[in-house]
């Protein structure tokens, strides 16, 4: 006997996808457009969810530009808004340079290494996926409060 199918949540799934140049300006634009899109999806600017999403997008885009850059190749931002959750995906073309599975705090005086610590602290779930045909995608999911549901 098969288990019963879970009831499907009511609501709309919304998706935003955009490619950006692998430059600091591209990373900044990704963050700004993500905040604009969240506002359009009724996630108010300055809310806890909006601030967390802005920080996650900023860190992942900066990592894509810094560590995942291949000259002439863009990185991609994809936001998916479902009832109760926001999925943030940043893809780049450097599949061989993957973040560690477990992130730990860097030494106190380290100049780098804090980005994924922040992402892991803010994310309800995160993982690194292979990107077809080449590259990797870092996927972060943030649970949203019921009031922010579409």
């Amino acid at each position: 006997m098969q288990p019963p199918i879970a009831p499907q949540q009511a609501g709309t799934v919304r998706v935003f996808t955009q490619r950006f140049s692998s430059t600091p300006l591209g990373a900044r634009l990704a963050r700004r457009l993500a905040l604009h899109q969240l506002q359009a999806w009724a996630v108010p600017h300055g809310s806890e969810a909006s601030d967390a999403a802005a920080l996650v997008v900023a860190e992942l885009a900066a990592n894509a530009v810094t560590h995942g850059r291949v000259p002439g190749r863009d990185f991609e931002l994809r936001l998916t808004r479902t009832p109760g959750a926001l999925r943030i995906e940043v893809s780049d073309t450097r599949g061989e340079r993957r973040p560690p599975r477990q992130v730990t705090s860097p030494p106190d005086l380290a100049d780098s290494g804090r980005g994924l610590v922040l992402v892991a602290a803010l994310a309800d779930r995160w993982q690194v996926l292979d990107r077809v045909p080449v590259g990797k995608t870092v996927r972060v999911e943030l649970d949203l409060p019921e009031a922010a549901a579409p």
Side-chain angles (χ1 to χ4, degrees), residues 32-133:
R32 290 180 59 105
L33 286 179
L35 285 174
H36 180 74
Q37 189 61 53
L38 291 176
Q39 179 80 28
W41 288 342
V43 179
H45 182 74
S47 67
E48 187 176 324
S50 176
D51 289 348
L55 183 65
V56 167
V57 170
E59 290 297 337
L60 294 182
N63 284 350
V65 167
T66 304
H67 306 294
R69 182 175 186 277
V70 172
R73 300 284 177 106
D74 297 337
F75 74 93
E76 183 177 271
L77 169 67
R78 181 180 180 93
L79 304 174
T80 305
R81 175 77 164 87
T82 61
L86 174 67
R87 177 180 290 166
I88 301 165
E89 296 174 314
V90 175
S91 301
D92 64 49
T93 55
R94 294 286 301 265
E96 75 280 4
R97 296 196 66 187
R98 299 173 75 90
R101 292 179 190 257
Q102 296 288 337
V103 292
T104 58
S105 296
D108 289 338
L109 298 176
D111 289 336
S112 63
R114 291 180 173 80
L116 280 179
V117 173
L118 292 172
V119 169
L122 292 169
D124 292 295
R125 292 162 296 285
W126 76 282
Q127 61 183 337
V128 181
L129 306 168
D130 290 330
R131 180 178 184 223
V132 176

